Amino acid sequence: MRKALVAGNWKMHGRVDQNLKLIEALIPALSNLKEAVDIVVCPPLVYLSQVNELIANTSIALGAQDVSRFDRDGAHTGDCSADMLADVGASYVLVGHSERRSEQNDTDERVSQKLACLLKANLKPILCVGETLEQREAGQVEDVIATQIELAISGLSVDDLKELLIAYEPVWAIGTGKTASPEQAQDVHAYIRELLGARFGSGFAKQITILYGGSVKAANAAELFGQPDIDGGLIGGAALITEEFTAICSAAANSPKNG
Ligand code: 13P
């Protein structure tokens, strides 16, 4: 059975004092959920060490929002390698988030290089995929998702991908308040599982964690997480609000699938 997972992507938000307040509030609020849901927080790069210290001895795990596509130390100004992320305590790393794809030219090829670096460093990649509104309206959802996944994992074997997680984040639902309906999200999640099953076998497809992201909040989390192929969420704005993030984690923990 797949364990639910909720990851908070803080994006470019936070300050030393705000991070302290948020984590100090989350620790007690989340402490009784750890049996049922894995919880990850992904602060900005500069705060990874601070947050890692704050969550020491709790069940909250640390994630990063991106990684360099270069795996060897060297002249890559501004970059941070997978080994460095692991060195400061990260265990999960987002890769291919749509904001990196659109703002930082993260092409499918670069996403694939980054994914390989993360696997080499024994980090758990959360590969983000999703279509734009134009692509959805043109009936291209499955093609877009298949291409993003195929290109990201090309050349990798089922053994390489044991630690992979996928996040389906329709671009039109990110930060817009428009959530995919539970049925729309479930359809894409089922498609992703089918795609991976055809390529790597149904055993692999059944065990892989597939998260939904895009305007998830306390009010819609339970319905989304109740879908058979939605294993949890990748949360943006609501991850910065203690009550919201706690309620979302609790919805994942209390999903009937976990019972
Ligand atoms: P929002 O929850 O703010 O829509 O962001 C989703 C997201 O991009 C998480 O990675």
Side-chain angles (χ1 to χ4, degrees):
M1 205 181 73
R2 301 183 297 270
K3 185 171 178 188
L5 185 144
V6 175
N9 174 9
W10 293 5
K11 307 193 180 185
M12 200 168 78
H13 292 283
R15 292 290 185 275
V16 170
D17 58 339
Q18 293 166 9
N19 306 339
L20 176 69
K21 264 205 199 133
L22 180 57
I23 295 292
E24 280 188 343
L26 286 175
I27 290 172
L30 300 174
S31 66
N32 61 346
L33 301 177
K34 62 178 175 223
E35 302 302 330
V37 57
D38 287 328
I39 298 168
V40 184
V41 290
C42 306
L45 197 53
V46 288
Y47 299 123
L48 283 174
S49 289
Q50 182 207 2
V51 172
N52 190 45
E53 268 185 42
L54 294 173
I55 59 175
N57 306 315
T58 74
S59 58
I60 303 173
L62 186 69
Q65 300 176 13
D66 191 33
V67 65
S68 172
R69 67 183 195 277
F70 303 105
D71 69 339
R72 309 249 302 263
D73 291 9
H76 305 295
T77 302
D79 262 17
C80 184
S81 72
D83 279 341
M84 291 172 182
L85 297 177
D87 193 33
V88 295
S91 43
Y92 293 83
V93 183
L94 307 183
V95 59
H97 190 283
S98 68
E99 286 148 20
R100 303 297 304 178
R101 291 181 191 260
S102 65
E103 296 171 359
Q104 308 293 341
N105 196 24
D106 250 3
T107 59
D108 286 316
E109 188 191 0
R110 289 183 180 186
V111 170
S112 138
Q113 291 166 339
K114 290 179 176 195
L115 188 62
C117 291
L118 294 175
L119 293 169
K120 199 169 154 197
N122 293 317
L123 288 161
K124 297 181 177 76
I126 303 179
L127 170 63
C128 304
V129 297
E131 81 287 355
T132 62
L133 188 58
E134 297 70 51
Q135 290 166 331
R136 174 163 281 267
E137 284 171 349
Q140 296 168 343
V141 177
E142 295 190 352
D143 284 351
V144 169
I145 302 293
T147 304
Q148 288 175 338
I149 293 180
E150 293 285 350
L151 293 178
I153 63 174
S154 66
L156 296 169
S157 72
V158 66
D159 271 353
D160 296 328
L161 296 174
K162 279 202 292 273
E163 302 289 0
L164 178 72
L165 295 87
I166 292 187
Y168 169 56
E169 298 206 306
V171 178
W172 49 272
I174 296 179
T176 57
K178 284 188 209 151
T179 322
S181 70
E183 297 73 27
Q184 281 174 323
Q186 164 58 26
D187 282 353
V188 179
H189 282 233
Y191 172 71
I192 293 172
R193 222 177 278 290
E194 202 181 291
L195 185 82
L196 294 168
R199 167 103 187 240
F200 297 116
S202 65
F204 177 82
K206 273 191 202 138
Q207 61 79 35
I208 190 167
T209 297
I210 309 178
L211 310 176
Y212 170 78
S215 300
V216 178
K217 39 189 190 271
N220 58 25
E223 218 188 336
L224 286 160
F225 301 160
Q227 301 299 310
D229 289 294
I230 301 183
D231 304 320
L234 179 54
I235 319 301
L240 300 168
I241 306 165
T242 308
E243 299 72 28
E244 280 284 316
F245 192 63
T246 304
I248 292 167
C249 292
S250 170
N254 293 322
S255 161
K257 295 186 314 233
N258 274 332

